[in-house]
Amino acid sequence: MFYAIDAVDTFFFRNASPFDADLSQSASSLFPPFPSVYAGALRYADTTRGRSSSEISRALKIGFSGLMVDGRLLLPRPLDTWVSPSFKLERLSLVPSPVGSSPLPFSLTPVTLTADKEVEPRGGGYVEEADLSRYLEGADWEAPCLSLSDFVKREGHVGIQIDRSSGASRSGLWYSIEKVRPVDACNRRCSLVVEAEGVSVDTASSIKLGGEARAASIRRLEREESFAPVTSSSRYFKLYLAAPAIFKQGWLPWWIDPVTKEGFFAYKKHRIRVRLLSAAIGRHVAVGGFSMEKRQPKEMRYAVPAGSVYFFEIIEGEFKDAVKLFHRKCVSDYREGYGFVYQNWDRMRYCDRGYGYSLVGTIGAEQGGVLNV
């Protein structure tokens, strides 16, 4: 089930930087938040009676999380694309890596050489749901790149620490916070969207979300599952991450051998063996948080950012196996409460808090280059 969350005023989602009113006096807000942020809000918004908070936590599974404007989902731009000066996205082409300069056999380069520099959209680049679906199909493709800054406003707030005993302000202990107001210049709302199972929010209601427990409204969306599976007989596929993924080996999943770059993944009756050919990965992001149950900060982890893309060759299995195993699945290695060491079967094979939500796509002939896909 999909839910939309709208801010009543502003949102504040802490990043991993230290923050206090003495030395680290400035804090900025993430947007959109990490997938795990929704767990607490959904747990307390659940309208099913007779279940404890711990029972809801065990049943809760978070899948897709992202943004929505005017009823259209927005997703991070795939990092195997190039942003032209006209803010158009063009796919990069796979070419053999120079000997000794890359751990992977193929690198990514623009299809046509150009003297123009790549544009970096303010706040990050996004694509609409329909454009991303065409991207996954692997056909000739060009799409507009949307800037996140066009859909949100960032506001600075300044405060000072108060002495609890006297009620007076404390000299020198000031701080500044950057909050996010998710509306554009025309006051259109930019909603947070999350897919969740194991909870039931039947009627529109209010929740508290993120830092400072900011008030928000939540409502159920009457929509079908997005991103229909791609069909192909190819021996190659790409894996697009719509959400950050925490992998045991840094940028590599635990099931990929760091030397041979080969590995197999199995779930129930499906099994596939693949070889990693190339990857388009952004700068890592630090994932932390605060546990309300344990009343202490969560362990800090580095995650591969949303929009990262992995290119695989199928050694054993078929394209349909890749779709069954990875499409609309959360492939992050780390699972809250278990870490990286846990049973690798049934529902515990996948992350249940939305990290590493992945989509499977084909590698088009133009992008595949010498692969002859």
Side-chain angles (χ1 to χ4, degrees), residues 222-268:
E222 300 298 335
R223 60 174 295 150
E224 301 293 331
E225 286 189 344
S226 303
F227 311 109
V230 177
T231 58
S232 174
S233 58
S234 175
R235 304 291 298 175
Y236 302 93
F237 71 95
K238 65 169 63 172
L239 197 66
Y240 162 82
L241 299 181
I246 305 173
F247 292 136
K248 186 176 182 179
Q249 303 182 93
W251 65 280
L252 276 178
W254 69 268
W255 50 274
I256 295 291
D257 187 281
V259 177
T260 64
K261 302 300 186 294
E262 295 184 8
F264 73 89
F265 193 94
Y267 180 72
K268 293 184 177 179

Side-chain angles (χ1 to χ4, degrees), residues 41-368:
L42 290 170
R43 183 167 62 244
Y44 293 107
D46 185 85
T47 56
T48 304
R49 304 304 177 188
R51 293 200 301 172
S52 66
S53 177
S54 59
E55 289 174 328
I56 297 175
S57 295
R58 287 194 295 269
L60 174 62
K61 293 183 181 180
I62 296 174
F64 172 82
S65 62
L67 304 175
M68 183 177 70
V69 176
D70 289 339
R72 304 188 305 274
L73 295 182
L74 301 183
L75 296 96
R77 77 167 178 96
L79 295 182
D80 64 333
T81 59
W82 182 79
V83 186
S84 70
S86 59
F87 280 86
K88 294 290 185 180
L89 289 175
E90 302 174 8
R91 277 183 296 217
L92 301 175
S93 179
L94 291 170
V95 297
S97 298
V99 177
S101 65
S102 173
L104 299 174
F106 290 89
S107 302
L108 291 159
T109 186
V111 176
T112 57
L113 296 178
T114 174
D116 296 327
K117 291 185 178 181
E118 182 178 20
V119 176
E120 184 61 36
R122 292 180 58 195
Y126 280 76
V127 295
E128 291 190 2
E129 174 184 2
D131 290 325
L132 187 69
S133 294
R134 290 193 292 271
Y135 158 85
L136 295 173
E137 293 170 357
D140 291 342
W141 180 80
E142 185 181 83
C145 182
L146 308 175
S147 298
L148 180 62
S149 60
D150 292 337
F151 303 104
V152 302
K153 299 177 182 177
R154 295 187 177 270
E155 303 176 354
H157 295 255
V158 177
I160 192 166
Q161 192 175 86
I162 301 298
D163 190 315
R164 294 183 179 181
S165 60
S166 65
S169 60
R170 301 183 63 182
S171 177
L173 296 185
W174 66 273
Y175 61 91
S176 64
I177 296 178
E178 179 193 68
K179 299 180 182 180
V180 173
R181 189 179 299 276
V183 295
D184 64 8
C186 300
N187 284 325
R188 293 181 303 172
R189 288 186 176 183
C190 179
S191 303
L192 298 173
V193 175
V194 59
E195 179 187 16
E197 297 179 10
V199 295
S200 177
V201 183
D202 298 325
T203 59
S205 58
S206 61
I207 59 173
K208 295 180 179 180
L209 190 68
E212 299 186 335
R214 307 296 295 179
S217 63
I218 183 171
R219 69 185 190 278
R220 188 168 65 183
L221 296 176
E222 300 298 335
R223 60 174 295 150
E224 301 293 331
E225 286 189 344
S226 303
F227 311 109
V230 177
T231 58
S232 174
S233 58
S234 175
R235 304 291 298 175
Y236 302 93
F237 71 95
K238 65 169 63 172
L239 197 66
Y240 162 82
L241 299 181
I246 305 173
F247 292 136
K248 186 176 182 179
Q249 303 182 93
W251 65 280
L252 276 178
W254 69 268
W255 50 274
I256 295 291
D257 187 281
V259 177
T260 64
K261 302 300 186 294
E262 295 184 8
F264 73 89
F265 193 94
Y267 180 72
K268 293 184 177 179
K269 296 182 179 180
H270 295 277
R271 185 182 188 277
I272 195 172
R273 187 172 185 85
V274 298
R275 177 185 297 114
L276 181 61
L277 299 178
S278 188
I281 302 171
R283 186 175 181 179
H284 69 258
V285 294
V287 177
F290 189 86
S291 174
M292 295 302 295
E293 295 178 356
K294 298 181 179 179
R295 308 299 300 177
Q296 65 182 26
K298 296 179 181 179
E299 187 175 7
M300 190 71 66
R301 295 289 180 183
Y302 285 126
V304 173
S308 298
V309 182
Y310 292 80
F311 295 80
F312 291 102
E313 177 186 6
I314 301 173
I315 302 175
E316 297 176 14
E318 300 179 8
F319 190 92
K320 63 181 181 181
D321 295 315
V323 172
K324 287 289 186 180
L325 291 168
F326 300 123
H327 194 65
R328 295 200 296 242
K329 300 293 194 301
C330 296
V331 299
S332 180
D333 294 344
Y334 186 80
R335 184 172 184 268
E336 289 187 10
Y338 291 84
F340 293 111
V341 181
Y342 54 87
Q343 295 172 302
N344 292 315
W345 59 81
D346 293 336
R347 67 180 180 86
M348 301 178 71
R349 164 67 75 171
Y350 300 103
C351 172
D352 60 1
R353 286 296 183 264
Y355 286 101
Y357 186 85
S358 62
L359 301 171
V360 173
T362 59
I363 304 174
E366 183 181 62
Q367 185 175 31

